[in-house]
């Protein structure tokens, strides 16, 4: 195994005082600091009163694939490489996964500096069950793909955590109301650990109406899991597609199934179209 070490370090999600004491030490002693945004890194170093002791390189989603071989070569030579992203833990909906995979394959030691997590904090303050949960990251941007993704999660019994951009929050919550039902409990956690921190709790349809007025800041959404039997979009897809293949019109079938199950006609229609696109070679 190489003497090099890859260190993934969690950074504050808002308040710089939340930084782990080890973070400053790693910034000071690493041979290479790979930062998602070098400007934010400088700001963080200023808050922590530390100067990076090694070379600082940019390492973000647009150059991670290109830069990974060079970073792995540095690790092979024995360098200690520190990876930091803008907030939270690298590789969790942030750059880092490709590098970790390559380092593991090369037999290089990978470790981390634990610290702030928007996922865990949102879970803790949501008021929803936390004994079992799953992290789903960002939902697809396209309506059909988002509907299909949520349809597949309608029967998920665990509490679900999502990240979402503020300008898409209302559409994401509305899609959840269609896929999960309007009364599914949820919480929108905004600007966690920052001055204007806010946690809005309620039925997902109610939260969608609130978000339609406009929301700013970093967003984490927590949604309760399904309880008991659920009739969801995913469970109806095979039947709908079979009827369409037999000659019925898709719109008519979706309207009939929606009337029978209480599911959204649009959600059913979008999910069928998304399934067709996914099957194309």
């Amino acid at each position: 195994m190489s003497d090099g070490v890859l260190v993934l370090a969690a950074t504050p999600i808002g308040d710089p005082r939340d930084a782990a004491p080890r973070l400053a030490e790693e910034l000071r002693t690493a041979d290479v600091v790979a930062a998602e945004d070098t400007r934010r890194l400088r700001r963080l170093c200023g808050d922590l009163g530390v100067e990076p002791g090694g070379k600082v390189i940019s390492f973000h989603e647009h150059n991670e694939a290109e830069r990974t071989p060079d970073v792995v070569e540095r690790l092979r030579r024995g360098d200690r490489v520190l990876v930091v992203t803008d907030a939270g833990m690298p590789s969790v909906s942030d750059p880092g996964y490709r590098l970790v995979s390559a380092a593991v394959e090369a037999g290089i030691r990978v470790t981390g500096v634990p610290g702030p997590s928007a996922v865990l904090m949102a879970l803790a303050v949501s008021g929803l069950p936390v004994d079992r949960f799953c992290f789903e990251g960002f939902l697809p941007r396209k309506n059909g793909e988002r509907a299909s993704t949520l349809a597949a999660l309608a029967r998920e019994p665990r509490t679900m955590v999502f990240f979402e951009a503020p300008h898409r929050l209302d559409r994401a919550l509305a899609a959840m109301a269609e896929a999960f039902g309007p009364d599914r409990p949820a919480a929108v956690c905004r600007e966690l650990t920052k001055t204007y921190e806010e946690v809005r709790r309620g039925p997902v349809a109610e939260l969608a109406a609130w978000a339609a007025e406009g929301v700013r800041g970093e967003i984490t959404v927590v949604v309760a899991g399904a309880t008991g039997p659920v009739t969801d979009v995913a469970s109806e897809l095979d039947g709908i597609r079979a009827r369409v293949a037999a000659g019925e019109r898709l719109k008519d079938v979706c309207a009939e199934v929606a009337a029978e199950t209480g599911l959204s006609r649009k959600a059913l229609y979008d999910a069928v179209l998304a399934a067709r696109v996914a099957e194309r070679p």
Side-chain angles (χ1 to χ4, degrees), residues 203-249:
V204 68
E206 181 181 300
L207 293 173
W210 163 74
E213 300 177 4
V215 178
R216 295 182 178 181
E218 300 289 332
I219 305 292
T220 306
V221 180
V222 186
V223 184
T227 56
V230 177
T231 299
D232 60 64
V233 173
S235 66
E236 301 295 334
L237 282 184
D238 288 344
I240 293 173
R241 298 180 72 184
R243 291 175 60 179
V244 171
E248 296 185 62
R249 293 179 67 236

Side-chain angles (χ1 to χ4, degrees), residues 8-19:
L8 308 176
T11 55
I13 59 176
D15 192 330
R17 294 174 299 179
D18 293 334

Side-chain angles (χ1 to χ4, degrees), residues 188-206:
V188 175
C189 305
R190 186 179 72 85
E191 294 289 86
L192 291 173
T193 77
K194 300 177 184 177
T195 302
Y196 298 105
E197 176 180 306
E198 177 182 19
V199 179
R200 178 80 57 152
R201 306 173 182 88
V204 68
E206 181 181 300

Side-chain angles (χ1 to χ4, degrees), residues 110-132:
V110 180
T111 186
V113 178
S117 166
V119 173
L120 294 181
M121 181 171 178
L123 273 167
V125 303
S126 69
L128 298 173
V130 297
D131 53 334
R132 298 179 67 228

Side-chain angles (χ1 to χ4, degrees), residues 146-155 173-182 184 230-234 263-264 267:
R146 181 170 54 221
S148 181
T149 297
L150 291 173
L153 291 170
R155 293 188 180 187
L173 291 169
M176 290 177 187
E178 289 186 345
F180 303 157
R184 183 74 70 92
V230 177
T231 299
D232 60 64
V233 173
L263 295 169
S264 163

Side-chain angles (χ1 to χ4, degrees), residues 95-169:
Y97 172 74
R98 292 185 185 90
L99 178 57
V100 171
S101 296
V104 170
E105 186 175 347
I108 293 164
R109 180 184 170 213
V110 180
T111 186
V113 178
S117 166
V119 173
L120 294 181
M121 181 171 178
L123 273 167
V125 303
S126 69
L128 298 173
V130 297
D131 53 334
R132 298 179 67 228
F133 67 90
C134 57
F135 174 58
E136 296 296 329
F138 285 92
L139 287 169
R141 298 183 181 186
K142 294 183 179 179
N143 293 339
E145 294 176 5
R146 181 170 54 221
S148 181
T149 297
L150 291 173
L153 291 170
R155 293 188 180 187
E156 172 57 62
R158 296 171 294 180
T159 298
M160 296 167 281
V161 185
F162 303 86
F163 287 159
E164 192 51 271
H167 62 279
R168 292 196 299 269
L169 178 62

